[in-house]
Amino acid sequence: MSRPFVHYEPGTRPEAWSALLDRPTFARDLSLANVRRALVVAPHPDDETLGAGGLIASLTARGALVTVLSLTHGERAFGPADPIVGFERRREQCGALRCLGQPRNPVQFVQLGLPEGALSEDPFLASRLSQPVREHDLCIGPWEGDGHPDHAATGAALGEECGRAGVAYVAYPIWAWHWGLPDTDTFLERAVRFELDACAAQAKAAALECYQSQRRGFAPLLSEEFLDHFRRPYEVFLS
């Protein structure tokens, strides 16, 4: 990443990335053919929906078992830790996951409640992920080069544990879209695209609407322009 993590300053516009991602030559696709159990790790409530909401909806529609492991409650979204903020974000996350699951195949949900902003200081983070990783055949988590310290720590630990266990791992960018520069950043060289069908796109759109607390205030984390990065008809993962 070429810039520090500051969410409220203007970043790269979504259309700048689309000019690259929409090219016919960008044709590497993510296959779900052999996925039966998938683990999606979210450092904060909403990361799973932003980065992989369409993939989650597609997996549950295919009958795969999906577990979302939420590491923090996002209680520091607006500054100092606030349990009320954490409660609201947990409630929003529960609603979003209901949108992404199926009546007969809901998304399984596990919350660890670790301190937001301190995942890089947790000496047990990798060990916390070890057993969940080994229970699945695909893991999805944040890209370690995303520019957010919690994302970096989670992505590094998850990638390490997947490597040890021999479990397939793909990473989703979040803040890389905001701060990355299409002309200079090279992370898309190992990217794959996952096309969303109409049902998956509709489920993701509904799930995104559940996260209203991050869309309020003078400088919302989930501004409309930022959300446009995640309203594409496909999702992008790094393999």
PDB file of all heavy atoms in Angstrom, residues 10 23 41 45 49 67 124-125 129 142 147 154 169 176 180 208 221 235 238:
ATOM      1  N   PRO A  10     -10.064  11.570   0.737  1.00  0.00           N
ATOM      2  CA  PRO A  10     -10.462  11.009  -0.561  1.00  0.00           C
ATOM      3  C   PRO A  10      -9.482   9.940  -1.020  1.00  0.00           C
ATOM      4  O   PRO A  10      -8.270  10.077  -0.881  1.00  0.00           O
ATOM      5  CB  PRO A  10     -10.434  12.229  -1.488  1.00  0.00           C
ATOM      6  CG  PRO A  10     -10.573  13.412  -0.584  1.00  0.00           C
ATOM      7  CD  PRO A  10      -9.885  13.030   0.683  1.00  0.00           C
ATOM      8  N   ARG A  23     -11.762  -5.490 -17.843  1.00  0.00           N
ATOM      9  CA  ARG A  23     -11.166  -5.884 -19.119  1.00  0.00           C
ATOM     10  C   ARG A  23     -11.391  -7.377 -19.385  1.00  0.00           C
ATOM     11  O   ARG A  23     -11.280  -8.202 -18.472  1.00  0.00           O
ATOM     12  CB  ARG A  23      -9.664  -5.607 -19.106  1.00  0.00           C
ATOM     13  CG  ARG A  23      -9.297  -4.129 -19.091  1.00  0.00           C
ATOM     14  CD  ARG A  23      -7.795  -3.955 -18.985  1.00  0.00           C
ATOM     15  NE  ARG A  23      -7.421  -2.554 -18.881  1.00  0.00           N
ATOM     16  CZ  ARG A  23      -6.191  -2.125 -18.625  1.00  0.00           C
ATOM     17  NH1 ARG A  23      -5.210  -3.006 -18.455  1.00  0.00           N
ATOM     18  NH2 ARG A  23      -5.936  -0.837 -18.545  1.00  0.00           N
ATOM     19  N   VAL A  41     -13.226 -15.232   7.803  1.00  0.00           N
ATOM     20  CA  VAL A  41     -12.744 -14.518   8.990  1.00  0.00           C
ATOM     21  C   VAL A  41     -12.882 -13.016   8.750  1.00  0.00           C
ATOM     22  O   VAL A  41     -12.416 -12.482   7.741  1.00  0.00           O
ATOM     23  CB  VAL A  41     -11.290 -14.888   9.306  1.00  0.00           C
ATOM     24  CG1 VAL A  41     -10.811 -14.131  10.545  1.00  0.00           C
ATOM     25  CG2 VAL A  41     -11.161 -16.398   9.524  1.00  0.00           C
ATOM     26  N   PRO A  45     -17.076  -6.413  12.233  1.00  0.00           N
ATOM     27  CA  PRO A  45     -18.371  -6.582  11.586  1.00  0.00           C
ATOM     28  C   PRO A  45     -18.457  -5.717  10.329  1.00  0.00           C
ATOM     29  O   PRO A  45     -18.120  -4.533  10.368  1.00  0.00           O
ATOM     30  CB  PRO A  45     -19.365  -6.091  12.655  1.00  0.00           C
ATOM     31  CG  PRO A  45     -18.647  -6.281  13.949  1.00  0.00           C
ATOM     32  CD  PRO A  45     -17.210  -5.976  13.645  1.00  0.00           C
ATOM     33  N   THR A  49     -19.063  -9.087   4.707  1.00  0.00           N
ATOM     34  CA  THR A  49     -20.052  -8.744   3.683  1.00  0.00           C
ATOM     35  C   THR A  49     -19.428  -7.911   2.583  1.00  0.00           C
ATOM     36  O   THR A  49     -19.664  -8.152   1.389  1.00  0.00           O
ATOM     37  CB  THR A  49     -21.227  -7.990   4.326  1.00  0.00           C
ATOM     38  OG1 THR A  49     -21.851  -8.837   5.299  1.00  0.00           O
ATOM     39  CG2 THR A  49     -22.255  -7.597   3.284  1.00  0.00           C
ATOM     40  N   THR A  67     -19.068 -20.797   7.878  1.00  0.00           N
ATOM     41  CA  THR A  67     -18.928 -20.219   9.215  1.00  0.00           C
ATOM     42  C   THR A  67     -18.219 -18.884   9.107  1.00  0.00           C
ATOM     43  O   THR A  67     -17.172 -18.783   8.471  1.00  0.00           O
ATOM     44  CB  THR A  67     -18.111 -21.148  10.134  1.00  0.00           C
ATOM     45  OG1 THR A  67     -18.798 -22.389  10.287  1.00  0.00           O
ATOM     46  CG2 THR A  67     -17.917 -20.515  11.510  1.00  0.00           C
ATOM     47  N   PHE A 124      -1.656 -14.681  20.606  1.00  0.00           N
ATOM     48  CA  PHE A 124      -2.358 -15.952  20.417  1.00  0.00           C
ATOM     49  C   PHE A 124      -3.271 -15.944  19.196  1.00  0.00           C
ATOM     50  O   PHE A 124      -4.066 -16.865  19.024  1.00  0.00           O
ATOM     51  CB  PHE A 124      -3.193 -16.281  21.667  1.00  0.00           C
ATOM     52  CG  PHE A 124      -2.400 -16.283  22.934  1.00  0.00           C
ATOM     53  CD1 PHE A 124      -2.554 -15.269  23.870  1.00  0.00           C
ATOM     54  CD2 PHE A 124      -1.468 -17.282  23.192  1.00  0.00           C
ATOM     55  CE1 PHE A 124      -1.815 -15.264  25.035  1.00  0.00           C
ATOM     56  CE2 PHE A 124      -0.721 -17.282  24.355  1.00  0.00           C
ATOM     57  CZ  PHE A 124      -0.890 -16.273  25.288  1.00  0.00           C
ATOM     58  N   LEU A 125      -3.166 -14.909  18.359  1.00  0.00           N
ATOM     59  CA  LEU A 125      -4.101 -14.796  17.245  1.00  0.00           C
ATOM     60  C   LEU A 125      -4.016 -16.002  16.313  1.00  0.00           C
ATOM     61  O   LEU A 125      -5.055 -16.585  15.941  1.00  0.00           O
ATOM     62  CB  LEU A 125      -3.832 -13.506  16.462  1.00  0.00           C
ATOM     63  CG  LEU A 125      -4.784 -13.220  15.302  1.00  0.00           C
ATOM     64  CD1 LEU A 125      -6.224 -13.133  15.784  1.00  0.00           C
ATOM     65  CD2 LEU A 125      -4.386 -11.927  14.588  1.00  0.00           C
ATOM     66  N   LEU A 129      -6.911 -19.244  15.514  1.00  0.00           N
ATOM     67  CA  LEU A 129      -7.421 -19.593  14.194  1.00  0.00           C
ATOM     68  C   LEU A 129      -7.108 -21.033  13.801  1.00  0.00           C
ATOM     69  O   LEU A 129      -7.713 -21.557  12.860  1.00  0.00           O
ATOM     70  CB  LEU A 129      -6.827 -18.652  13.146  1.00  0.00           C
ATOM     71  CG  LEU A 129      -7.150 -17.166  13.308  1.00  0.00           C
ATOM     72  CD1 LEU A 129      -6.356 -16.340  12.300  1.00  0.00           C
ATOM     73  CD2 LEU A 129      -8.637 -16.917  13.143  1.00  0.00           C
ATOM     74  N   PRO A 142      -9.097 -11.309   5.261  1.00  0.00           N
ATOM     75  CA  PRO A 142      -8.609 -10.036   4.722  1.00  0.00           C
ATOM     76  C   PRO A 142      -7.182 -10.157   4.197  1.00  0.00           C
ATOM     77  O   PRO A 142      -6.376 -10.939   4.697  1.00  0.00           O
ATOM     78  CB  PRO A 142      -8.669  -9.102   5.933  1.00  0.00           C
ATOM     79  CG  PRO A 142      -8.473 -10.018   7.101  1.00  0.00           C
ATOM     80  CD  PRO A 142      -9.173 -11.294   6.737  1.00  0.00           C
ATOM     81  N   GLY A 147      -3.693  -2.385   4.446  1.00  0.00           N
ATOM     82  CA  GLY A 147      -3.496  -1.037   4.948  1.00  0.00           C
ATOM     83  C   GLY A 147      -4.123  -0.760   6.292  1.00  0.00           C
ATOM     84  O   GLY A 147      -3.937   0.307   6.858  1.00  0.00           O
ATOM     85  N   THR A 154      -4.644 -10.140  10.877  1.00  0.00           N
ATOM     86  CA  THR A 154      -5.534 -11.271  10.620  1.00  0.00           C
ATOM     87  C   THR A 154      -5.119 -12.015   9.363  1.00  0.00           C
ATOM     88  O   THR A 154      -5.045 -13.254   9.356  1.00  0.00           O
ATOM     89  CB  THR A 154      -6.986 -10.793  10.479  1.00  0.00           C
ATOM     90  OG1 THR A 154      -7.370 -10.096  11.666  1.00  0.00           O
ATOM     91  CG2 THR A 154      -7.929 -11.957  10.262  1.00  0.00           C
ATOM     92  N   TYR A 169      -6.660 -20.979   0.702  1.00  0.00           N
ATOM     93  CA  TYR A 169      -6.914 -19.665   1.297  1.00  0.00           C
ATOM     94  C   TYR A 169      -6.969 -18.610   0.205  1.00  0.00           C
ATOM     95  O   TYR A 169      -6.095 -18.562  -0.675  1.00  0.00           O
ATOM     96  CB  TYR A 169      -5.806 -19.326   2.297  1.00  0.00           C
ATOM     97  CG  TYR A 169      -5.886 -17.924   2.865  1.00  0.00           C
ATOM     98  CD1 TYR A 169      -7.056 -17.444   3.429  1.00  0.00           C
ATOM     99  CD2 TYR A 169      -4.772 -17.077   2.834  1.00  0.00           C
ATOM    100  CE1 TYR A 169      -7.133 -16.160   3.943  1.00  0.00           C
ATOM    101  CE2 TYR A 169      -4.832 -15.794   3.356  1.00  0.00           C
ATOM    102  CZ  TYR A 169      -6.023 -15.343   3.911  1.00  0.00           C
ATOM    103  OH  TYR A 169      -6.094 -14.064   4.421  1.00  0.00           O
ATOM    104  N   ALA A 176      -7.633  -1.590   0.422  1.00  0.00           N
ATOM    105  CA  ALA A 176      -6.737  -1.495  -0.734  1.00  0.00           C
ATOM    106  C   ALA A 176      -7.421  -0.805  -1.906  1.00  0.00           C
ATOM    107  O   ALA A 176      -6.772  -0.105  -2.693  1.00  0.00           O
ATOM    108  CB  ALA A 176      -6.274  -2.888  -1.153  1.00  0.00           C
ATOM    109  N   GLY A 180      -5.263   2.078  -2.685  1.00  0.00           N
ATOM    110  CA  GLY A 180      -4.395   1.581  -3.738  1.00  0.00           C
ATOM    111  C   GLY A 180      -4.429   2.468  -4.975  1.00  0.00           C
ATOM    112  O   GLY A 180      -5.352   3.254  -5.184  1.00  0.00           O
ATOM    113  N   LEU A 208     -25.544  -5.538   2.857  1.00  0.00           N
ATOM    114  CA  LEU A 208     -24.875  -4.247   3.012  1.00  0.00           C
ATOM    115  C   LEU A 208     -25.796  -3.216   3.650  1.00  0.00           C
ATOM    116  O   LEU A 208     -25.342  -2.362   4.428  1.00  0.00           O
ATOM    117  CB  LEU A 208     -24.382  -3.738   1.652  1.00  0.00           C
ATOM    118  CG  LEU A 208     -23.146  -4.425   1.069  1.00  0.00           C
ATOM    119  CD1 LEU A 208     -22.901  -3.928  -0.349  1.00  0.00           C
ATOM    120  CD2 LEU A 208     -21.921  -4.193   1.933  1.00  0.00           C
ATOM    121  N   LEU A 221     -17.529   5.824   7.650  1.00  0.00           N
ATOM    122  CA  LEU A 221     -16.598   4.838   7.129  1.00  0.00           C
ATOM    123  C   LEU A 221     -17.129   4.224   5.847  1.00  0.00           C
ATOM    124  O   LEU A 221     -16.368   3.952   4.917  1.00  0.00           O
ATOM    125  CB  LEU A 221     -16.339   3.744   8.168  1.00  0.00           C
ATOM    126  CG  LEU A 221     -15.277   4.075   9.204  1.00  0.00           C
ATOM    127  CD1 LEU A 221     -15.926   4.653  10.453  1.00  0.00           C
ATOM    128  CD2 LEU A 221     -14.460   2.849   9.555  1.00  0.00           C
ATOM    129  N   GLU A 235     -16.780 -10.229  -7.218  1.00  0.00           N
ATOM    130  CA  GLU A 235     -15.874  -9.958  -6.109  1.00  0.00           C
ATOM    131  C   GLU A 235     -14.476 -10.377  -6.510  1.00  0.00           C
ATOM    132  O   GLU A 235     -14.299 -11.264  -7.361  1.00  0.00           O
ATOM    133  CB  GLU A 235     -16.329 -10.697  -4.854  1.00  0.00           C
ATOM    134  CG  GLU A 235     -17.630 -10.145  -4.298  1.00  0.00           C
ATOM    135  CD  GLU A 235     -18.214 -10.943  -3.167  1.00  0.00           C
ATOM    136  OE1 GLU A 235     -17.899 -12.145  -3.026  1.00  0.00           O
ATOM    137  OE2 GLU A 235     -19.039 -10.370  -2.417  1.00  0.00           O
ATOM    138  N   LEU A 238      -7.551 -12.516  -3.707  1.00  0.00           N
ATOM    139  CA  LEU A 238      -6.140 -12.760  -3.981  1.00  0.00           C
ATOM    140  C   LEU A 238      -5.811 -14.168  -3.560  1.00  0.00           C
ATOM    141  O   LEU A 238      -6.072 -14.570  -2.436  1.00  0.00           O
ATOM    142  CB  LEU A 238      -5.272 -11.749  -3.233  1.00  0.00           C
ATOM    143  CG  LEU A 238      -5.669 -10.275  -3.428  1.00  0.00           C
ATOM    144  CD1 LEU A 238      -4.730  -9.378  -2.649  1.00  0.00           C
ATOM    145  CD2 LEU A 238      -5.680  -9.894  -4.894  1.00  0.00           C
TER     146      LEU A 238
END
